[in-house]
Amino acid sequence: MDTAVLPTRLVFTDVDETLINCRSMFDFLDYYMTGRHGATGTARARQIRESLLEQGSRGIPREETNRTYFQAWAGEQAEDVARWGERWFAERSANGSFYLTSTREALIRHQADGAAIALVSGSLPALLDPIARDIRADHVLCTRPEECDGELTGRILGDPVVGSGKAAAVHSTITRYPHLNPAECYAYGDHISDLPMLSAVGHPVVVGSNPDLLARLPSRHRL
């Protein structure tokens, strides 16, 4: 391996409401279902969204609601979802407020210092891949839907990249760079479910003002 191109550190960032100013999974659910299936799709998206919110209000772990979310995509063609994901990104990113400025600028500074960037999210590859391409991220660590003959089955491959799943993805990625020390890596997150990921590195950064997360991490790590 050419040491001249090895990153100086790894920087991991959550995506929804950390890097971008929306909840991509819900936003795209409405966008795709309405655009692809019309009024029937709109009603279906509303039903799914309300069910997921209700599960969350009952304390169902995010790992489980993440699995439930992907079940909603059963029967959709993977190529259609990817194509609509590119369209969603093009439209949303045309808005100057798509990215959270503070996080985006922090990542640019890290890249200027030679860091590799990894997106870490429970969202869909169809949404994360165009974001990664746009910001020149090196890794996309996310929940990945299972496909069969080009059709989404509603199941996922492996575990959800949520909560402890984010920490596992971070650890696995760091091991690919034996010259790096986790204590010198950074992670950005906005929600208490990001705590396992933030705790996996030496420089956790809280984006926003989530009181539960701020209570667990020193205020000096706030962006």
Side-chain angles (χ1 to χ4, degrees):
M1 186 177 290
D2 185 356
T3 58
V5 298
L6 291 176
T8 57
R9 65 181 57 84
L10 289 172
V11 177
F12 301 91
T13 181
D14 172 54
V15 177
D16 293 359
E17 299 182 314
T18 295
L19 175 60
I20 66 173
N21 198 23
C22 71
R23 301 179 69 179
S24 65
M25 297 170 71
F26 282 161
D27 191 52
F28 183 64
L29 180 69
D30 293 337
Y31 180 86
Y32 176 90
M33 291 296 179
T34 296
R36 186 79 174 81
H37 301 296
T40 300
T42 300
R44 172 66 174 151
R46 182 173 59 252
Q47 178 187 42
I48 295 165
R49 190 171 60 253
E50 290 175 353
S51 175
L52 290 168
L53 291 172
E54 189 273 334
Q55 289 180 37
S57 70
R58 290 192 287 114
I60 302 298
R62 279 197 170 195
E63 291 85 347
E64 293 306 312
T65 59
N66 191 250
R67 289 182 184 276
T68 301
Y69 175 86
F70 279 87
Q71 290 172 9
W73 294 93
E76 299 295 333
Q77 294 297 310
E79 287 187 359
D80 288 342
V81 176
R83 184 170 59 252
W84 279 81
E86 293 285 352
R87 186 182 302 179
W88 171 87
F89 172 74
E91 292 185 16
R92 295 298 189 261
S93 62
N95 184 328
S97 64
F98 179 71
Y99 290 112
L100 290 176
T101 302
S102 59
T103 307
R104 183 71 188 95
E105 290 181 347
L107 297 183
I108 290 172
R109 290 193 296 271
H110 284 300
Q111 288 172 313
D113 288 337
I117 306 299
L119 305 184
V120 190
S121 174
S123 193
L124 295 83
L127 311 182
L128 299 173
D129 288 345
I131 294 173
R133 187 172 61 246
D134 186 50
I135 71 167
R136 297 182 296 111
D138 302 89
H139 302 283
V140 176
L141 313 177
C142 68
T143 305
R144 295 192 176 273
E146 180 187 74
E147 297 178 27
C148 182
D149 296 327
E151 184 176 286
L152 301 183
T153 67
R155 296 183 293 272
I156 63 173
L157 301 173
D159 295 323
V161 181
V162 177
S164 61
K166 286 189 174 183
V170 167
H171 288 304
S172 177
T173 304
I174 291 175
T175 62
R176 297 167 59 182
Y177 297 87
H179 71 291
L180 294 181
N181 184 342
E184 297 175 353
C185 295
Y186 284 72
Y188 292 76
D190 73 291
H191 190 268
I192 191 63
S193 63
D194 294 321
L195 183 61
M197 173 184 71
L198 296 171
S199 301
V201 300
H203 298 280
V205 182
V206 177
V207 177
S209 56
N210 183 280
D212 295 328
L213 195 54
L214 288 172
R216 300 291 296 274
L217 293 171
S219 59
R220 66 185 177 88
H221 292 304
R222 183 178 178 182
L223 183 65

